[in-house]
Amino acid sequence: MKSMIGGASAALLGIAMAAAPQAANAGVVGEYNACGTENLSVPVAAAGHTWVSVGTLDAASLQPLDALVLRTCGTYGGNPDVDAAVADGMDLILDTTGVNSAVLPGAPAMNFNIGGCQNNYSLAPASPVTTGPGGTLTDDSLDVGGPGGTGGWCSIMGATSIAALPAGAIPFVTTADGLNAGALGYSHGAGQVAVSNSQWSHTVVYTPSEYLYAGIKTYFINSLAWGLSTGVREHQSCASEGYTGTKLEWCKNIC
């Protein structure tokens, strides 16, 4: 389940009762980064979330998280603990240079083998990541080299047909012809998944000298906001925290 307040401890919940309520989508955001030292701690904090580094993708490490940014810089092979956490309400922002959709949470019917090695992209019409707490994206902001993908490394490494997307899946970023999605979002259980099949976490493109550097951070933070837009993971109930009587009713009203 998801709650419209963050996964707070009992002490923090008590403070929340006496203070103004937090933003509905503020949460604990973990980042598992297999791509080097670059991380999203500063923009995640600026967006109002609590950032934590995740070193192991196991159930114990994922349980406190409302969302996970998972950056592989390689092929994603899947993880049953990640799948279970998403089903339980954790949102997943996954960036991978290669993926078989059978290993994604919920195993959605997608084929990311279309339109590989793209330098030039477009935002999908009504893409939910166009604007958000990370800023505003344009059709050129995720291009490698410069506007229109004028050079440099590949960015999108593979795309899937938009016409064949499962019901409910939302294209975020497309190939220039608008036919295939290199980044998209969908729901699984109580959580949401944003997946990009790209090199946006890779050191050769994710550096300040590259044109798309700022756009990548904007994409990640706006995707995170999309995931958390349905609320944050419900880590505990008011009753399980020991509240009774009037305090229990206050807690329920906040939640």
Side-chain angles (χ1 to χ4, degrees), residues 12 17 28 33 44 59 62 69 91 94 113 121 124 138 140 142 163 165 168 170 187 220-222 227 229 248:
L12 290 177
M17 290 180 182
V28 177
N33 185 353
V44 165
L62 301 175
V69 179
D91 300 307
L94 171 65
N113 294 324
Y121 325 80
T138 68
D140 287 328
L142 293 172
L165 286 178
I170 304 171
S187 297
F220 281 131
I221 300 305
N222 289 357
S229 65
L248 176 61

Side-chain angles (χ1 to χ4, degrees), residues 31-32 53-57 61:
E31 182 173 5
Y32 180 91
S53 178
V54 175
T56 305
L57 295 175
S61 300

